[in-house]
Amino acid sequence: MRIGLAQVPFSVRPQEGLQNVISMVEEASNRGCDIVCFPESIIPGLRGVGYDVVPYDHQFQKEALMKVQKTAKIKNTAIILPIEWQKENKLHIIAVVISKNGEILGYQTKNQIDPDEDQFGYVPGSGRQIFEIQGVRFGIVICHEGWRYPETVRFAAVNGASIIFHPQFTNDVENPSFYENAMVCRSLENNVYFASVNYALPNQQVSTTLISPTGKCLAKAQREQNELIVFDIDPRKATRLLATRFNEHLIKKETSTDL
């Protein structure tokens, strides 16, 4: 499977974010990608990270999603589109999976919200999904989940995912090594590909990166650059050996006084 990881600039206007998506899908299609993934909440943009993001507009979000679906079909390219989405008056951060023919295959909610995001009214979702494109199973974990909740990645690996996509936003941080090493850990502790997709940001410390099932860095975008990483992954190399040896019974709480 040929994947595309789109490191695009942060757009303060949702129309610009939509155009960035369409332009990158066109490039991904021209370069033969089967699927392309974008950073966290690319439409309308992530709140609370130093940018003036416009108020939520559900009508715009619906129309933008339909335009991306149409682009997926025209360009014959599957898309992972992370967006804000309101459902039953609850505002979620999600990642929508769109097939090559423009159909919505499902979506993954962000279930672990960063404490700094609580003030914006985001509601954590529930449940985790496994998706499949061209016979390749994959999972999605969104930003904070992948950095600090490794069980989200373990779930996907245990359930047959060969690659985990990780839409994220990481700005100028004091400890970039934490994030770089976390990518390796998520991959190596499960023996899966880990594809982390960040924005192109000023003073960027953490780049869009693809890690192999053995913890090797296969590709990395240049910091601060609008760039599409393209790489051919081999799902057979994602053995999921350590993930399949996970024994969930070992972490169940038990009380016993018998020796």
Side-chain angles (χ1 to χ4, degrees):
M1 171 182 273
R2 177 167 293 185
I3 65 170
L5 308 179
Q7 181 172 283
V8 297
F10 194 103
S11 299
V12 295
R13 297 177 65 247
Q15 294 87 349
E16 293 173 355
L18 174 59
Q19 187 55 52
N20 284 340
V21 169
I22 293 173
S23 296
M24 271 297 188
V25 172
E26 290 174 348
E27 179 178 346
S29 175
N30 291 338
R31 296 175 65 181
C33 292
D34 296 299
I35 188 168
V36 58
C37 181
F38 291 89
E40 180 181 16
S41 193
I42 188 163
I43 302 172
L46 187 64
R47 303 181 193 280
V49 293
Y51 296 88
D52 187 16
V53 178
V54 301
Y56 181 82
D57 181 342
H58 191 63
Q59 185 60 36
F60 180 86
Q61 294 296 97
K62 289 196 298 182
E63 292 174 359
L65 178 56
M66 287 189 291
K67 288 178 182 177
V68 175
Q69 289 179 256
K70 183 178 179 180
T71 302
K73 183 175 183 178
I74 293 172
K75 296 300 178 180
N76 193 36
T77 305
I79 301 168
I80 297 174
L81 180 70
I83 60 174
E84 284 187 343
W85 195 258
Q86 189 175 73
K87 185 176 182 180
E88 298 176 348
N89 294 320
K90 296 178 180 178
L91 186 61
H92 300 283
I93 297 175
I94 70 172
V96 183
V97 179
I98 303 168
S99 73
K100 286 187 173 185
N101 61 11
E103 294 182 9
I104 294 177
L105 300 181
Y107 63 92
Q108 178 61 61
T109 51
K110 187 176 185 179
N111 300 339
Q112 296 287 168
I113 302 296
D114 189 305
D116 291 338
E117 296 170 349
D118 287 343
Q119 60 183 304
F120 301 106
Y122 290 129
V123 177
S126 61
R128 306 212 67 84
Q129 308 294 320
I130 299 295
F131 307 93
E132 186 171 319
I133 296 286
Q134 295 185 198
V136 179
R137 291 168 68 85
F138 61 92
I140 301 171
V141 300
I142 301 175
C143 201
H144 186 62
E145 296 183 316
W147 299 136
R148 297 175 180 87
Y149 294 88
E151 62 272 17
T152 60
V153 177
R154 175 59 51 86
F155 168 87
V158 166
N159 285 279
S162 299
I163 181 170
I164 315 301
F165 289 97
H166 179 229
Q168 51 125 331
F169 176 102
T170 304
N171 207 342
D172 184 4
V173 292
E174 295 181 357
N175 54 344
S177 61
F178 163 78
Y179 300 92
E180 293 169 348
N181 291 329
M183 297 181 202
V184 175
C185 286
R186 298 299 87 82
S187 133
L188 195 53
E189 66 200 7
N190 293 290
N191 302 124
V192 294
Y193 290 95
F194 190 76
S196 189
V197 187
N198 197 9
Y199 286 93
L201 300 165
N203 303 314
Q204 184 176 358
Q205 300 296 312
V206 180
S207 296
T208 294
T209 305
L210 176 64
I211 305 293
S212 80
T214 59
K216 178 183 178 181
C217 179
L218 298 175
K220 179 180 287 190
Q222 297 184 60
R223 296 175 184 175
E224 306 181 21
Q225 298 300 308
N226 182 25
E227 183 177 351
L228 178 69
I229 288 181
V230 175
F231 199 92
D232 292 325
I233 66 166
D234 183 353
R236 295 171 298 180
K237 293 183 178 179
T239 65
R240 301 182 297 108
L241 176 63
L242 294 176
T244 57
R245 291 174 63 87
F246 173 61
N247 185 347
E248 63 179 271
H249 299 290
L250 295 179
I251 61 173
K252 288 186 176 180
K253 183 178 180 180
E254 295 182 358
T255 301
S256 176
T257 58
D258 297 331
L259 294 177

